[in-house]
Amino acid sequence: MANMRTMSFDAVIVGGGGSGMRAALQLAQSGYKTAVITKVFPTRSHTVSAQGGITCAIASDDPNDKWQWHMYDTIKGSDYIGDQEAIEYMCKTGPEAVFELEHMGLPFSRNENGRIYQRPFGGQSKDFGEGGQAARTCAAADRTGHALLHTLYQGNLKNETVFLNEWFAVDLVKNADNAVVGVIAINIETGETVYVKSKATVFATGGAGRIYASTTNAHICTGDGIGMAMRAGFPVQDMEMWQFHPTGIHGAGTLVTEGCRGEGGYLINKDGERFMERYAPNAKDLAGRDVVARSMVQEILAGRGCGENGDHVFLKLDHLGEETLNAKLPGILELSRTFAHADPVVEPIPVVPTCHYMMGGIPTNVDGQALTLDDQGNEQVVEGFYACGEAACVSVHGANRLGGNSLLDLVVFGRASGLFIEKQLREGVELKDATEDDIERAMQVLNRINSSQQGEKASVLRAELQTIMQNHFGVFRRGDFMKEGIEKLKALRPRIENVQLSDTSNAFNTARIEALELQNLLEVAEATAVAAEWRTESRGAHAREDFQERDDKNWLCHSIYLPESQTVAKRDVNFTPKTREAFEPKVRTY
Amino acid sequence: MLEVSIYRYNPEVDSEPYMQAFSYDTQGKDVMVLDVLEKLKTEDPTLVFRRSCREGVCGSDGVNISGKNGLACITPLSEVVKNNKLVIRPLPGLPVIRDLVIDMTQFYAQYEKIQPYLINNTPAPAIERLQSPEDRAKLDGLYECILCACCSTACPSFWWNPDKFIGPSGLLQAYRFLADSRDTGTEDRLANLDDPFSVFRCHGIMNCVQVCPKGLNPTKAIGHIRSMLLASAA
């Protein structure tokens, strides 16, 4: 590897979505030499697809709103395995982080008094669940993610962040002390492979919804950070927890925001019945996403689904009137007309629960530092390694994320990671240089892929993986069936490792990128499968037919998947918020 | 079988670009152009194009489809297939890196020129800066731009002067900040645009309006900027 170029930075952020660009902004403002490695031009990142808004107690809709109420909702929504210290930090710091975005120019929708418009979202309450529905989700029409991502990109342009656009990070480089000292990355345009050396490496690589056949996620959501961390031997947390969004467009999988129900839309079955009244008498269509998604599947299984095959339900919006729909949900009108051939002004949208969000990820503390377990099973910080956003599990979402909390998570913890790294860099970071062997180790997967002439096509293997996950690890899960899925994944591993690369050219070789992404999908799928089979209870998004109850005695814990031994360990949930007593687990109803 | 003709060019092996014929079985379905590309890539993994969100919000897959620029992911075959033929080329006017992937450096450089960020040097309040719904409404039709470059690469003025004419996308964004009641940089912004090329190379051809996949109207925004420039000169 003597001829491979090295680029050096104080901090490298992998991922140019919301959390990555928020972290980068913090570091660029501090004057440290910062680079963002991103496999797509930053504004093409998946944050752009977020619609409904960013949930935060800015006290605009309700001047008496309190971040503690938001904290309560989030903990309840997490089914009590969200870390309370992290949730407290997010809800408390949130308003400051949202106002910063507004000051940077984010075009939020407005109320008559000129303040930011907030809409109701699922799982929101006033007065710790006692005061009825809250409206806490700050919105820019139904294009909040787009507005947020572009604003962050613009902020980074202003602060002259270095962007390595259309570069793909392949694997982590670790030194003799097991600290992270950068990544191996490919410049997609030229095919050049470079060692990008850094004192701080931040994974802001987003989710991995593409492990499922049907997902709201972009093609690029392939869990690259999770795959890299696992190959480097680092653990991942709560990977069994996948959110199925109630309203993906039937057939296409594209997202229809929960804001539709926030604005007064509701779900109906083939009899035209508003069935959520039966499942969640108080919150109805604005119950937690896990609750709504399960109710929909139960309606479909009971033969009350809509359409020729009875395999979806309808989201009814026409009663809101054309004017409201045009003002509040213009993007949804576009999407529904394009992908469902249904005009919501006059007819309902066919929807079905669709894989949407990875609650699990790389375990971190509130400062974004990645955590691992030492030989005795004690928690330990990985020097030089950070994660934020969907790739991280800090954990603010626990077993079920509330709508609007992902944008808040990525802004708050992107910012927190940046602030902490800035402090570390100021105090001085001393990490041993990587040796030739260390770098060679990080090149193994790439070398294997580059020389793989035999094997099967990436597209075929990917489809097979997605089908296994869709069938064996969906909304409802069962032990024996999951075991079968795990065996299928085991059989798939050698085939995926031996994926064929028929295109060996250098310039913009997307076949090579897809072969590498497939390796990451496999790691994510395996961690998901093993952790899901291991947790013998139902909690949040993890619903088992063979263990239907939540079991706090045995399972009020995080799962930690250890890739080297392929085993799962328990980790305590944090119940020690800093400013108040903890919220104790209660029966969760809406 | 649908006949699909796709522009191919790999700088490492091809001395010049060529059109390659593929066939695609629609099975009677009106799928999106991106679905066709994805399917063809499973057959020929060397076929290269950009894509991400597949729902028309990320702006990755702008291509020229049967003569008109658009996003592959939200363009159904029924809109573009003529005589059972579909022709896909890269967006025109910018250098091709490979197949349908263009080098967008000049496009982004024009965007960066207009200072695409809010300028307001007054101390920020402890909460958000207030903005009336009426003032906020002035940003509708402007902030939604996804930087797909369909408009600028459909514009003859941009083809001739990609280094000096900001182009419809950049100018739409320039007006997005000029129109923002929270922005205090108007004078500076107008001064930056006040030359014979940046704005005034727009000849009102309106190709940009015709192709914008988000239904935005750059020509109208450019008209507003012209008026502001003329008013500030008076």
mmCIF file of all heavy atoms in Angstrom, chain A residues 256-298:
data_model
loop_
_atom_site.group_PDB
_atom_site.id
_atom_site.type_symbol
_atom_site.label_atom_id
_atom_site.label_comp_id
_atom_site.label_asym_id
_atom_site.label_seq_id
_atom_site.Cartn_x
_atom_site.Cartn_y
_atom_site.Cartn_z
ATOM 1 N N VAL A 256 -45.740 8.634 3.288
ATOM 2 C CA VAL A 256 -46.781 9.649 3.431
ATOM 3 C C VAL A 256 -46.748 10.100 4.889
ATOM 4 O O VAL A 256 -46.967 9.306 5.801
ATOM 5 C CB VAL A 256 -48.175 9.079 3.097
ATOM 6 C CG1 VAL A 256 -49.262 10.105 3.371
ATOM 7 C CG2 VAL A 256 -48.233 8.636 1.647
ATOM 8 N N THR A 257 -46.445 11.360 5.119
ATOM 9 C CA THR A 257 -46.155 11.830 6.474
ATOM 10 C C THR A 257 -47.279 11.584 7.471
ATOM 11 O O THR A 257 -48.470 11.663 7.139
ATOM 12 C CB THR A 257 -45.808 13.332 6.476
ATOM 13 O OG1 THR A 257 -45.634 13.752 7.844
ATOM 14 C CG2 THR A 257 -46.907 14.176 5.864
ATOM 15 N N GLU A 258 -46.864 11.339 8.728
ATOM 16 C CA GLU A 258 -47.793 11.266 9.854
ATOM 17 C C GLU A 258 -48.517 12.610 10.028
ATOM 18 O O GLU A 258 -49.602 12.680 10.612
ATOM 19 C CB GLU A 258 -46.976 10.949 11.104
ATOM 20 C CG GLU A 258 -47.752 10.721 12.359
ATOM 21 C CD GLU A 258 -46.835 10.139 13.439
ATOM 22 O OE1 GLU A 258 -46.158 9.135 13.166
ATOM 23 O OE2 GLU A 258 -46.793 10.709 14.532
ATOM 24 N N GLY A 259 -47.907 13.668 9.475
ATOM 25 C CA GLY A 259 -48.537 14.983 9.514
ATOM 26 C C GLY A 259 -49.920 14.977 8.875
ATOM 27 O O GLY A 259 -50.771 15.798 9.213
ATOM 28 N N CYS A 260 -50.165 14.035 7.965
ATOM 29 C CA CYS A 260 -51.503 13.914 7.364
ATOM 30 C C CYS A 260 -52.524 13.636 8.449
ATOM 31 O O CYS A 260 -53.617 14.220 8.476
ATOM 32 C CB CYS A 260 -51.537 12.774 6.349
ATOM 33 S SG CYS A 260 -50.598 13.092 4.867
ATOM 34 N N ARG A 261 -52.166 12.721 9.349
ATOM 35 C CA ARG A 261 -53.072 12.407 10.456
ATOM 36 C C ARG A 261 -53.043 13.528 11.491
ATOM 37 O O ARG A 261 -54.052 13.796 12.140
ATOM 38 C CB ARG A 261 -52.714 11.035 11.050
ATOM 39 C CG ARG A 261 -53.189 9.888 10.163
ATOM 40 C CD ARG A 261 -52.628 8.541 10.590
ATOM 41 N NE ARG A 261 -51.224 8.399 10.199
ATOM 42 C CZ ARG A 261 -50.272 7.884 10.962
ATOM 43 N NH1 ARG A 261 -50.569 7.445 12.172
ATOM 44 N NH2 ARG A 261 -49.039 7.798 10.525
ATOM 45 N N GLY A 262 -51.885 14.202 11.612
ATOM 46 C CA GLY A 262 -51.795 15.351 12.511
ATOM 47 C C GLY A 262 -52.732 16.473 12.088
ATOM 48 O O GLY A 262 -53.314 17.183 12.913
ATOM 49 N N GLU A 263 -52.900 16.615 10.772
ATOM 50 C CA GLU A 263 -53.764 17.681 10.251
ATOM 51 C C GLU A 263 -55.238 17.258 10.245
ATOM 52 O O GLU A 263 -56.103 18.030 9.830
ATOM 53 C CB GLU A 263 -53.342 18.072 8.833
ATOM 54 C CG GLU A 263 -51.938 18.656 8.710
ATOM 55 C CD GLU A 263 -51.801 20.048 9.334
ATOM 56 O OE1 GLU A 263 -52.835 20.682 9.618
ATOM 57 O OE2 GLU A 263 -50.656 20.477 9.554
ATOM 58 N N GLY A 264 -55.531 16.007 10.641
ATOM 59 C CA GLY A 264 -56.930 15.579 10.736
ATOM 60 C C GLY A 264 -57.311 14.427 9.818
ATOM 61 O O GLY A 264 -58.469 14.001 9.801
ATOM 62 N N GLY A 265 -56.359 13.906 9.054
ATOM 63 C CA GLY A 265 -56.648 12.739 8.233
ATOM 64 C C GLY A 265 -56.778 11.506 9.108
ATOM 65 O O GLY A 265 -56.343 11.509 10.256
ATOM 66 N N TYR A 266 -57.439 10.448 8.594
ATOM 67 C CA TYR A 266 -57.504 9.210 9.372
ATOM 68 C C TYR A 266 -57.577 7.985 8.471
ATOM 69 O O TYR A 266 -57.853 8.090 7.274
ATOM 70 C CB TYR A 266 -58.665 9.243 10.376
ATOM 71 C CG TYR A 266 -60.032 9.529 9.793
ATOM 72 C CD1 TYR A 266 -60.817 8.509 9.271
ATOM 73 C CD2 TYR A 266 -60.537 10.834 9.798
ATOM 74 C CE1 TYR A 266 -62.073 8.775 8.747
ATOM 75 C CE2 TYR A 266 -61.796 11.116 9.269
ATOM 76 C CZ TYR A 266 -62.562 10.079 8.747
ATOM 77 O OH TYR A 266 -63.804 10.349 8.232
ATOM 78 N N LEU A 267 -57.313 6.821 9.099
ATOM 79 C CA LEU A 267 -57.268 5.560 8.364
ATOM 80 C C LEU A 267 -58.638 4.902 8.365
ATOM 81 O O LEU A 267 -59.359 4.953 9.367
ATOM 82 C CB LEU A 267 -56.255 4.616 9.027
ATOM 83 C CG LEU A 267 -54.809 5.111 9.028
ATOM 84 C CD1 LEU A 267 -53.972 4.338 10.043
ATOM 85 C CD2 LEU A 267 -54.203 5.002 7.631
ATOM 86 N N ILE A 268 -58.996 4.283 7.238
ATOM 87 C CA ILE A 268 -60.251 3.529 7.169
ATOM 88 C C ILE A 268 -60.001 2.146 6.552
ATOM 89 O O ILE A 268 -59.058 1.971 5.780
ATOM 90 C CB ILE A 268 -61.332 4.262 6.337
ATOM 91 C CG1 ILE A 268 -60.788 4.663 4.959
ATOM 92 C CG2 ILE A 268 -61.857 5.486 7.074
ATOM 93 C CD1 ILE A 268 -61.839 5.271 4.028
ATOM 94 N N ASN A 269 -60.844 1.192 6.938
ATOM 95 C CA ASN A 269 -60.756 -0.142 6.335
ATOM 96 C C ASN A 269 -61.749 -0.247 5.170
ATOM 97 O O ASN A 269 -62.350 0.752 4.769
ATOM 98 C CB ASN A 269 -60.990 -1.232 7.396
ATOM 99 C CG ASN A 269 -62.364 -1.105 8.053
ATOM 100 O OD1 ASN A 269 -63.278 -0.502 7.488
ATOM 101 N ND2 ASN A 269 -62.499 -1.663 9.246
ATOM 102 N N LYS A 270 -61.930 -1.445 4.657
ATOM 103 C CA LYS A 270 -62.747 -1.575 3.435
ATOM 104 C C LYS A 270 -64.218 -1.232 3.686
ATOM 105 O O LYS A 270 -64.954 -0.931 2.762
ATOM 106 C CB LYS A 270 -62.616 -2.980 2.848
ATOM 107 C CG LYS A 270 -63.366 -4.070 3.596
ATOM 108 C CD LYS A 270 -63.407 -5.347 2.765
ATOM 109 C CE LYS A 270 -64.217 -6.399 3.512
ATOM 110 N NZ LYS A 270 -64.174 -7.710 2.895
ATOM 111 N N ASP A 271 -64.626 -1.281 4.966
ATOM 112 C CA ASP A 271 -66.004 -0.908 5.285
ATOM 113 C C ASP A 271 -66.143 0.590 5.531
ATOM 114 O O ASP A 271 -67.214 1.063 5.918
ATOM 115 C CB ASP A 271 -66.475 -1.664 6.536
ATOM 116 C CG ASP A 271 -66.341 -3.173 6.363
ATOM 117 O OD1 ASP A 271 -66.611 -3.641 5.237
ATOM 118 O OD2 ASP A 271 -65.946 -3.856 7.332
ATOM 119 N N GLY A 272 -65.044 1.316 5.340
ATOM 120 C CA GLY A 272 -65.081 2.758 5.586
ATOM 121 C C GLY A 272 -65.006 3.102 7.069
ATOM 122 O O GLY A 272 -65.175 4.254 7.459
ATOM 123 N N GLU A 273 -64.711 2.100 7.889
ATOM 124 C CA GLU A 273 -64.684 2.324 9.334
ATOM 125 C C GLU A 273 -63.357 2.952 9.777
ATOM 126 O O GLU A 273 -62.284 2.532 9.341
ATOM 127 C CB GLU A 273 -64.863 0.990 10.072
ATOM 128 C CG GLU A 273 -64.934 1.144 11.576
ATOM 129 C CD GLU A 273 -64.506 -0.135 12.324
ATOM 130 O OE1 GLU A 273 -64.068 -1.103 11.662
ATOM 131 O OE2 GLU A 273 -64.605 -0.148 13.554
ATOM 132 N N ARG A 274 -63.438 3.941 10.661
ATOM 133 C CA ARG A 274 -62.233 4.523 11.249
ATOM 134 C C ARG A 274 -61.774 3.580 12.363
ATOM 135 O O ARG A 274 -62.091 3.755 13.536
ATOM 136 C CB ARG A 274 -62.547 5.917 11.799
ATOM 137 C CG ARG A 274 -61.320 6.614 12.352
ATOM 138 C CD ARG A 274 -61.586 8.044 12.780
ATOM 139 N NE ARG A 274 -60.338 8.647 13.228
ATOM 140 C CZ ARG A 274 -60.225 9.879 13.657
ATOM 141 N NH1 ARG A 274 -61.288 10.675 13.686
ATOM 142 N NH2 ARG A 274 -59.050 10.350 14.052
ATOM 143 N N PHE A 275 -61.001 2.560 11.977
ATOM 144 C CA PHE A 275 -60.743 1.445 12.889
ATOM 145 C C PHE A 275 -59.837 1.786 14.061
ATOM 146 O O PHE A 275 -59.851 1.094 15.072
ATOM 147 C CB PHE A 275 -60.200 0.241 12.104
ATOM 148 C CG PHE A 275 -58.922 0.522 11.351
ATOM 149 C CD1 PHE A 275 -57.704 0.422 11.984
ATOM 150 C CD2 PHE A 275 -58.952 0.875 10.000
ATOM 151 C CE1 PHE A 275 -56.532 0.666 11.290
ATOM 152 C CE2 PHE A 275 -57.779 1.131 9.304
ATOM 153 C CZ PHE A 275 -56.563 1.035 9.948
ATOM 154 N N MET A 276 -59.033 2.839 13.966
ATOM 155 C CA MET A 276 -58.126 3.150 15.076
ATOM 156 C C MET A 276 -58.888 3.516 16.349
ATOM 157 O O MET A 276 -58.354 3.431 17.447
ATOM 158 C CB MET A 276 -57.142 4.272 14.696
ATOM 159 C CG MET A 276 -55.944 3.829 13.870
ATOM 160 S SD MET A 276 -55.066 2.361 14.500
ATOM 161 C CE MET A 276 -54.522 2.920 16.106
ATOM 162 N N GLU A 277 -60.168 3.878 16.209
ATOM 163 C CA GLU A 277 -60.977 4.173 17.393
ATOM 164 C C GLU A 277 -61.105 2.943 18.291
ATOM 165 O O GLU A 277 -61.261 3.061 19.499
ATOM 166 C CB GLU A 277 -62.373 4.668 16.970
ATOM 167 C CG GLU A 277 -62.319 6.055 16.364
ATOM 168 C CD GLU A 277 -63.676 6.563 15.886
ATOM 169 O OE1 GLU A 277 -64.540 5.724 15.572
ATOM 170 O OE2 GLU A 277 -63.838 7.795 15.821
ATOM 171 N N ARG A 278 -61.050 1.757 17.670
ATOM 172 C CA ARG A 278 -61.138 0.521 18.449
ATOM 173 C C ARG A 278 -59.819 0.182 19.137
ATOM 174 O O ARG A 278 -59.788 -0.337 20.236
ATOM 175 C CB ARG A 278 -61.528 -0.643 17.525
ATOM 176 C CG ARG A 278 -63.028 -0.789 17.320
ATOM 177 C CD ARG A 278 -63.338 -2.097 16.597
ATOM 178 N NE ARG A 278 -63.201 -1.947 15.143
ATOM 179 C CZ ARG A 278 -62.351 -2.629 14.397
ATOM 180 N NH1 ARG A 278 -61.546 -3.512 14.950
ATOM 181 N NH2 ARG A 278 -62.309 -2.436 13.083
ATOM 182 N N TYR A 279 -58.707 0.462 18.462
ATOM 183 C CA TYR A 279 -57.397 0.044 18.981
ATOM 184 C C TYR A 279 -56.808 1.060 19.973
ATOM 185 O O TYR A 279 -56.080 0.689 20.886
ATOM 186 C CB TYR A 279 -56.407 -0.154 17.830
ATOM 187 C CG TYR A 279 -56.759 -1.286 16.893
ATOM 188 C CD1 TYR A 279 -57.507 -1.052 15.736
ATOM 189 C CD2 TYR A 279 -56.342 -2.588 17.169
ATOM 190 C CE1 TYR A 279 -57.819 -2.098 14.865
ATOM 191 C CE2 TYR A 279 -56.645 -3.630 16.301
ATOM 192 C CZ TYR A 279 -57.383 -3.381 15.149
ATOM 193 O OH TYR A 279 -57.683 -4.411 14.299
ATOM 194 N N ALA A 280 -57.062 2.346 19.753
ATOM 195 C CA ALA A 280 -56.506 3.394 20.613
ATOM 196 C C ALA A 280 -57.589 4.455 20.818
ATOM 197 O O ALA A 280 -57.626 5.475 20.127
ATOM 198 C CB ALA A 280 -55.269 4.020 19.960
ATOM 199 N N PRO A 281 -58.498 4.201 21.769
ATOM 200 C CA PRO A 281 -59.699 5.037 21.910
ATOM 201 C C PRO A 281 -59.391 6.514 22.168
ATOM 202 O O PRO A 281 -60.185 7.380 21.786
ATOM 203 C CB PRO A 281 -60.419 4.429 23.111
ATOM 204 C CG PRO A 281 -59.823 3.077 23.315
ATOM 205 C CD PRO A 281 -58.455 3.099 22.743
ATOM 206 N N ASN A 282 -58.280 6.829 22.787
ATOM 207 C CA ASN A 282 -57.977 8.231 23.078
ATOM 208 C C ASN A 282 -57.228 8.917 21.944
ATOM 209 O O ASN A 282 -57.685 9.892 21.382
ATOM 210 C CB ASN A 282 -57.176 8.340 24.371
ATOM 211 C CG ASN A 282 -57.970 7.815 25.549
ATOM 212 O OD1 ASN A 282 -59.129 8.189 25.727
ATOM 213 N ND2 ASN A 282 -57.375 6.923 26.320
ATOM 214 N N ALA A 283 -56.047 8.376 21.622
ATOM 215 C CA ALA A 283 -55.206 9.032 20.609
ATOM 216 C C ALA A 283 -55.650 8.685 19.197
ATOM 217 O O ALA A 283 -55.316 9.380 18.238
ATOM 218 C CB ALA A 283 -53.752 8.641 20.816
ATOM 219 N N LYS A 284 -56.388 7.595 19.043
ATOM 220 C CA LYS A 284 -56.863 7.133 17.731
ATOM 221 C C LYS A 284 -55.711 7.043 16.718
ATOM 222 O O LYS A 284 -54.744 6.349 16.952
ATOM 223 C CB LYS A 284 -57.986 8.044 17.224
ATOM 224 C CG LYS A 284 -59.210 7.974 18.121
ATOM 225 C CD LYS A 284 -60.269 8.967 17.711
ATOM 226 C CE LYS A 284 -61.371 8.977 18.758
ATOM 227 N NZ LYS A 284 -62.014 10.268 18.891
ATOM 228 N N ASP A 285 -55.830 7.802 15.627
ATOM 229 C CA ASP A 285 -54.832 7.715 14.558
ATOM 230 C C ASP A 285 -53.488 8.315 14.951
ATOM 231 O O ASP A 285 -52.510 8.178 14.224
ATOM 232 C CB ASP A 285 -55.349 8.383 13.283
ATOM 233 C CG ASP A 285 -56.558 7.654 12.730
ATOM 234 O OD1 ASP A 285 -57.682 7.898 13.242
ATOM 235 O OD2 ASP A 285 -56.377 6.819 11.828
ATOM 236 N N LEU A 286 -53.453 8.995 16.096
ATOM 237 C CA LEU A 286 -52.190 9.575 16.539
ATOM 238 C C LEU A 286 -51.594 8.819 17.723
ATOM 239 O O LEU A 286 -50.883 9.374 18.559
ATOM 240 C CB LEU A 286 -52.365 11.065 16.872
ATOM 241 C CG LEU A 286 -52.581 11.949 15.633
ATOM 242 C CD1 LEU A 286 -52.794 13.394 16.024
ATOM 243 C CD2 LEU A 286 -51.400 11.839 14.662
ATOM 244 N N ALA A 287 -51.858 7.521 17.775
ATOM 245 C CA ALA A 287 -51.149 6.664 18.731
ATOM 246 C C ALA A 287 -49.717 6.486 18.220
ATOM 247 O O ALA A 287 -49.371 6.947 17.139
ATOM 248 C CB ALA A 287 -51.859 5.326 18.845
ATOM 249 N N GLY A 288 -48.888 5.797 19.010
ATOM 250 C CA GLY A 288 -47.515 5.529 18.569
ATOM 251 C C GLY A 288 -47.506 4.791 17.243
ATOM 252 O O GLY A 288 -48.458 4.074 16.922
ATOM 253 N N ARG A 289 -46.437 4.953 16.478
ATOM 254 C CA ARG A 289 -46.375 4.341 15.151
ATOM 255 C C ARG A 289 -46.440 2.818 15.217
ATOM 256 O O ARG A 289 -47.039 2.180 14.347
ATOM 257 C CB ARG A 289 -45.086 4.757 14.439
ATOM 258 C CG ARG A 289 -45.153 6.165 13.929
ATOM 259 C CD ARG A 289 -43.880 6.559 13.216
ATOM 260 N NE ARG A 289 -44.017 7.923 12.712
ATOM 261 C CZ ARG A 289 -43.047 8.624 12.163
ATOM 262 N NH1 ARG A 289 -41.841 8.108 12.043
ATOM 263 N NH2 ARG A 289 -43.263 9.850 11.734
ATOM 264 N N ASP A 290 -45.801 2.245 16.244
ATOM 265 C CA ASP A 290 -45.834 0.786 16.363
ATOM 266 C C ASP A 290 -47.273 0.307 16.557
ATOM 267 O O ASP A 290 -47.706 -0.669 15.950
ATOM 268 C CB ASP A 290 -44.926 0.322 17.509
ATOM 269 C CG ASP A 290 -45.235 0.999 18.843
ATOM 270 O OD1 ASP A 290 -45.801 2.114 18.830
ATOM 271 O OD2 ASP A 290 -44.919 0.427 19.896
ATOM 272 N N VAL A 291 -48.017 1.041 17.371
ATOM 273 C CA VAL A 291 -49.402 0.667 17.665
ATOM 274 C C VAL A 291 -50.264 0.767 16.403
ATOM 275 O O VAL A 291 -51.029 -0.150 16.074
ATOM 276 C CB VAL A 291 -49.979 1.583 18.779
ATOM 277 C CG1 VAL A 291 -51.457 1.288 19.011
ATOM 278 C CG2 VAL A 291 -49.184 1.412 20.072
ATOM 279 N N VAL A 292 -50.117 1.859 15.674
ATOM 280 C CA VAL A 292 -50.926 2.053 14.466
ATOM 281 C C VAL A 292 -50.576 1.009 13.404
ATOM 282 O O VAL A 292 -51.466 0.410 12.790
ATOM 283 C CB VAL A 292 -50.758 3.488 13.900
ATOM 284 C CG1 VAL A 292 -51.591 3.665 12.633
ATOM 285 C CG2 VAL A 292 -51.148 4.533 14.944
ATOM 286 N N ALA A 293 -49.264 0.764 13.218
ATOM 287 C CA ALA A 293 -48.840 -0.205 12.195
ATOM 288 C C ALA A 293 -49.400 -1.591 12.503
ATOM 289 O O ALA A 293 -49.903 -2.285 11.610
ATOM 290 C CB ALA A 293 -47.316 -0.255 12.105
ATOM 291 N N ARG A 294 -49.334 -1.995 13.765
ATOM 292 C CA ARG A 294 -49.854 -3.321 14.133
ATOM 293 C C ARG A 294 -51.366 -3.398 13.921
ATOM 294 O O ARG A 294 -51.889 -4.396 13.440
ATOM 295 C CB ARG A 294 -49.521 -3.631 15.592
ATOM 296 C CG ARG A 294 -48.155 -4.268 15.781
ATOM 297 C CD ARG A 294 -48.012 -4.893 17.155
ATOM 298 N NE ARG A 294 -48.044 -3.920 18.221
ATOM 299 C CZ ARG A 294 -46.995 -3.214 18.628
ATOM 300 N NH1 ARG A 294 -45.832 -3.366 18.035
ATOM 301 N NH2 ARG A 294 -47.093 -2.332 19.611
ATOM 302 N N SER A 295 -52.058 -2.319 14.289
ATOM 303 C CA SER A 295 -53.515 -2.306 14.118
ATOM 304 C C SER A 295 -53.884 -2.474 12.645
ATOM 305 O O SER A 295 -54.838 -3.180 12.304
ATOM 306 C CB SER A 295 -54.106 -0.992 14.644
ATOM 307 O OG SER A 295 -53.653 -0.745 15.957
ATOM 308 N N MET A 296 -53.132 -1.815 11.783
ATOM 309 C CA MET A 296 -53.400 -1.918 10.346
ATOM 310 C C MET A 296 -53.226 -3.360 9.867
ATOM 311 O O MET A 296 -54.069 -3.897 9.132
ATOM 312 C CB MET A 296 -52.459 -0.994 9.561
ATOM 313 C CG MET A 296 -52.729 0.488 9.780
ATOM 314 S SD MET A 296 -51.389 1.544 9.167
ATOM 315 C CE MET A 296 -51.566 1.336 7.399
ATOM 316 N N VAL A 297 -52.132 -3.989 10.301
ATOM 317 C CA VAL A 297 -51.880 -5.367 9.876
ATOM 318 C C VAL A 297 -52.993 -6.276 10.394
ATOM 319 O O VAL A 297 -53.462 -7.173 9.686
ATOM 320 C CB VAL A 297 -50.494 -5.849 10.351
ATOM 321 C CG1 VAL A 297 -50.308 -7.333 10.062
ATOM 322 C CG2 VAL A 297 -49.395 -5.045 9.667
ATOM 323 N N GLN A 298 -53.456 -6.009 11.631
ATOM 324 C CA GLN A 298 -54.535 -6.832 12.174
ATOM 325 C C GLN A 298 -55.827 -6.666 11.380
ATOM 326 O O GLN A 298 -56.540 -7.644 11.135
ATOM 327 C CB GLN A 298 -54.745 -6.508 13.660
ATOM 328 C CG GLN A 298 -53.707 -7.221 14.516
ATOM 329 C CD GLN A 298 -53.646 -6.741 15.951
ATOM 330 O OE1 GLN A 298 -54.243 -5.739 16.304
ATOM 331 N NE2 GLN A 298 -52.909 -7.464 16.768
#
